[in-house]
Amino acid sequence: MPLALLALAVGAFGIGTTEFVMMGLLPNVADDLHISIPTAGHLVSAYALGVVIGAPLLAAVTAKLPRRRVLIGLMVLFVIGNALSAVAPDNTSLLAARFLSGLPHGAFFGVGAVVATGLVAPERKARSVSLMFLGLTVANIVGVPVATAMGQQLGWRATFLAVSAIGLAAIAALALLVPADHGHGDAVGLRGELRALGSVPVWLALGTTVAGFGALFAAYSYITPMLTDAAGYAESSVTLLLALFGVGATAGNLLGGRLADHSLRGTLFGGLTALAVVLALFPLLMSAGWSAALAVMLLGMAAFTTGSPLQLMVMEKASAAPSLASSANQVAFNLANAGGAWIGGLALAAGFGVTSPAVTGAVLAVLGLAVAGAAFLVDRRSASAPARLVAAGPARRREPSAR
């Protein structure tokens, strides 16, 4: 595998760290800025809003630029956003800085996935994407816990300065390791890119991402009360258990990349099926400490087995605009985060029990399987249409002589 993938992984590590670390720093930020914790929670939403707006916008406006230059520019924006977060004097300024930090997130992964697949042979495309995403999953094991501890000991501003330093390291790695002549985006124009993004197969692939990762976040958003109220763990143990989720996610990401190079759709169907089964078994697995720990790790593994296949599938279905489509998949991922948490919360609020969000997640995983199945049928119909036309052509040409 090319060393340039390491540069992409470093950038992904920084992005993954800054995305999730705010959740652990909310009490510190709230105390320092003299705001309530619910108000501080808007800082998480501001970042997500930046991802949703920035992913398609930045991917579209930079489509014709050299991709290495685009990646470096996105990381420069990332560094500026996190540095401004570190020095923000009040909540309003911090909200704006967090929004700015989120803008390059989706476009970086979108353009980065295109660069990663262009650096390797066709039979290793999914593996290359999984190695870029490795930075994101490792961030959940190392980056987020270390950055959270740093924020608690040295102040939350130190955390964002450290993340800015990671961004600078990523810029240096991209400049040194990604080939300068990697190429430009396809010159199809913004209208052509939007047309490629508007096809039914692309939307079915994006829908699979929303449903599949919505299943994950329906359960993961409420994993702490499940572990404490159902499995009986102390709150102090939750951080270690969430690291197990990161271990599972890392293993699933690497496994999914390797398997998808052999069977893209088979890996996707298998990952979604495993996710549905794990989530359906959550009420049983949360009845004991050891099985609850196993469930957390299996949840991360099953969910992230589908990450690389979904990213690659969206890119292939929108081959005329892979950067825009790949970035749109990051929007779908963030919609899954928000929507899954909301749906899981509905089950919890309805009084169905502390593990009910996992059951709703299982339903969403089955829905993801259904959408993926519909995409498969559309592909088969599209593939068989030319064959029918070829078969019908000679028959029409023979009809005059028959008469």
Side-chain angles (χ1 to χ4, degrees):
M1 285 292 176
L3 202 57
L5 294 176
L6 175 63
L8 297 173
V10 172
F13 178 82
I15 289 174
T17 300
T18 200
E19 180 181 16
F20 295 108
V21 74
M22 180 56 76
M23 301 171 189
L25 295 178
L26 286 182
N28 307 80
V29 174
D31 288 344
D32 187 51
L33 298 182
H34 307 292
I35 57 177
S36 67
I37 289 181
T39 300
H42 296 160
L43 297 167
V44 177
S45 303
Y47 184 93
L49 182 62
V51 176
V52 171
I53 293 176
L57 179 63
L58 293 178
V61 300
T62 61
K64 296 183 181 180
L65 298 176
R67 288 178 176 137
R68 185 180 76 161
R69 189 184 305 171
V70 171
L71 289 170
I72 292 174
L74 291 170
M75 287 311 300
V76 168
L77 186 60
F78 172 83
V79 170
I80 293 173
N82 281 280
L84 289 175
S85 297
V87 298
D90 51 42
N91 184 50
T92 302
S93 302
L94 187 54
L95 280 169
R98 287 294 290 170
F99 175 80
L100 183 63
S101 301
L103 285 176
H105 177 128
F108 182 87
F109 281 109
V111 177
V114 176
V115 171
T117 56
L119 291 168
V120 299
E123 65 272 13
R124 293 194 171 196
K125 284 186 174 182
R127 222 174 306 181
S128 70
V129 173
S130 72
L131 288 177
M132 179 186 70
F133 283 152
L134 186 64
L136 183 64
T137 57
V138 170
N140 282 284
I141 305 174
V142 180
V144 174
V146 171
T148 301
M150 177 184 294
Q152 292 170 347
Q153 297 298 320
L154 303 177
W156 61 271
R157 297 179 188 276
T159 294
F160 291 108
L161 287 175
V163 172
S164 298
I166 296 173
L168 291 174
I171 291 171
L174 290 168
L176 290 172
L177 301 178
V178 175
D181 59 347
H182 187 271
H184 297 61
D186 297 325
V188 298
L190 180 57
R191 186 174 298 178
E193 291 183 352
L194 293 175
R195 189 182 305 116
L197 191 63
S199 70
V200 172
V202 172
W203 280 100
L204 287 174
L206 293 173
T208 306
T209 297
V210 172
F213 276 94
L216 165 66
F217 287 111
Y220 188 68
S221 300
Y222 305 97
I223 196 69
T224 296
M226 290 189 209
L227 291 170
T228 55
D229 297 349
Y233 280 102
E235 288 188 7
S236 58
S237 303
V238 171
T239 301
L240 180 61
L241 291 166
L242 294 184
L244 285 178
F245 174 85
V247 171
T250 300
N253 174 54
L254 293 174
L255 178 64
R258 182 170 291 273
L259 293 177
D261 279 329
H262 297 285
S263 175
L264 182 64
R265 205 175 295 272
T267 304
L268 179 58
F269 283 141
L272 288 171
T273 300
L275 181 60
V277 171
V278 169
L279 288 170
L281 291 175
F282 246 59
L284 176 63
L285 294 173
M286 284 291 157
S287 61
W290 69 269
S291 57
L294 177 64
V296 171
M297 187 168 65
L298 290 177
L299 177 63
M301 181 178 291
F304 278 86
T305 297
T306 66
S308 299
L310 282 169
Q311 191 77 22
L312 196 57
M313 185 171 294
V314 170
M315 292 165 57
E316 290 181 350
K317 298 308 176 187
S319 56
S323 296
L324 182 58
S326 184
S327 300
N329 197 47
Q330 297 302 311
V331 176
F333 181 86
N334 277 269
L335 291 176
N337 190 340
W342 177 68
I343 292 173
L346 290 179
L348 206 58
F352 292 127
V354 71
T355 59
S356 61
V359 179
T360 62
V363 175
L364 287 174
V366 173
L367 177 60
L369 273 171
V371 178
F376 174 67
L377 294 177
V378 168
D379 284 351
R380 287 193 61 180
R381 185 174 299 175
S382 300
S384 63
R388 289 198 300 269
L389 289 174
V390 171
R396 285 195 298 268
R397 288 194 293 271
R398 287 195 300 269
E399 283 176 2
S401 61
R403 287 195 298 268

